[in-house]
Amino acid sequence: MARNGTDCVGGPTRILIFAKAPRPGRVKTRLIPLLGAAGAAALYARLAGRTLAAAQAANVGTVELWCAPDTADAFFDACRERHGVTLMQQSAGDIGARMFDACRRTLAQAGRIILVGSDCPVLAASHFRAADQALRRGKDAVFCPVQDGGYVLIGLSRCDPGLFAGIAWSTAGVMQSTRGRLKRLGWRWHELETLWDVDRPEDCERLGPDLQTG
């Protein structure tokens, strides 16, 4: 059967971490009533740092930090210095358009990609390794769903715009809609355990003391 979309070329795995500049009032706005604008931004920065550390500890490939709105923020410079990551700028558009652009561009050079957000405190090195192994075993895609109905990790060995276009992002139906797209594409995919991320004030109650206090 012919493969749909853009097939990848041979090459190593790359990890792509999507992050926003942690500016007060611009990130984790639903947490502001609980933490204040500065507190919500500081928590987001701590979560991003934990995600970077987990990605590097996995040791499955090069780690890139994909920045929004651009790379010109002191936080991103600090991440580059501390973690040795490459800084990349996210494209314009909604999250689906930005993810597709990053995946398409990277799969032109890499054999596999693992793209994650930066607000899941329980995303560990083991999840990156499991995703990489699933792709190496021949899966077209791999996901870590989250309890709110989306996903925090997507791994791909090929890319198609149909996987991202027209999804109602930030709703409870994201993963369900994505499964439908995968079925229509005829792709083979694997799902890892369902995790949780930090979006609402009640999510903060599940955080460990290191993340609560920084």
Side-chain angles (χ1 to χ4, degrees), residues 140-158:
D140 299 303
V142 59
F143 296 85
C144 260
V146 285
Q147 292 174 358
D148 64 8
Y151 56 83
V152 71
L153 176 153
I154 177 174
L156 296 173
S157 59
R158 57 196 301 192

Side-chain angles (χ1 to χ4, degrees), residues 58 66 77 104 129 134 189:
W66 285 70
D77 287 334
R104 176 188 59 79
R129 296 189 191 108
W189 81 92

Side-chain angles (χ1 to χ4, degrees), residues 13-17 51-66 83-87 128:
T13 301
R14 288 195 196 175
I15 295 176
L16 285 58
I17 299 175
T51 303
L52 281 163
Q56 290 199 306
N59 197 32
V60 299
T62 301
V63 180
E64 299 176 349
L65 185 59
W66 285 70
H83 298 281
V85 295
T86 300
L87 301 184
F128 289 100

Side-chain angles (χ1 to χ4, degrees), residues 164-208:
F164 302 100
I167 297 287
W169 300 104
S170 299
T171 69
V174 170
M175 191 67 233
Q176 182 178 357
S177 296
T178 301
R179 292 186 186 105
R181 306 292 180 86
L182 291 162
K183 290 177 182 177
R184 288 195 291 273
L185 288 168
W187 284 15
R188 300 158 295 172
W189 81 92
H190 176 66
E191 294 183 23
L192 305 175
E193 65 176 317
T194 299
L195 303 177
W196 58 276
D197 55 8
V198 180
D199 282 323
R200 302 162 299 174
E202 53 265 38
D203 296 326
C204 293
E205 299 176 2
R206 308 168 76 173
L207 294 173

Side-chain angles (χ1 to χ4, degrees), residues 35-60:
L35 302 177
L43 174 59
Y44 181 83
R46 293 194 293 273
L47 289 167
R50 173 170 287 197
T51 303
L52 281 163
Q56 290 199 306
N59 197 32
V60 299

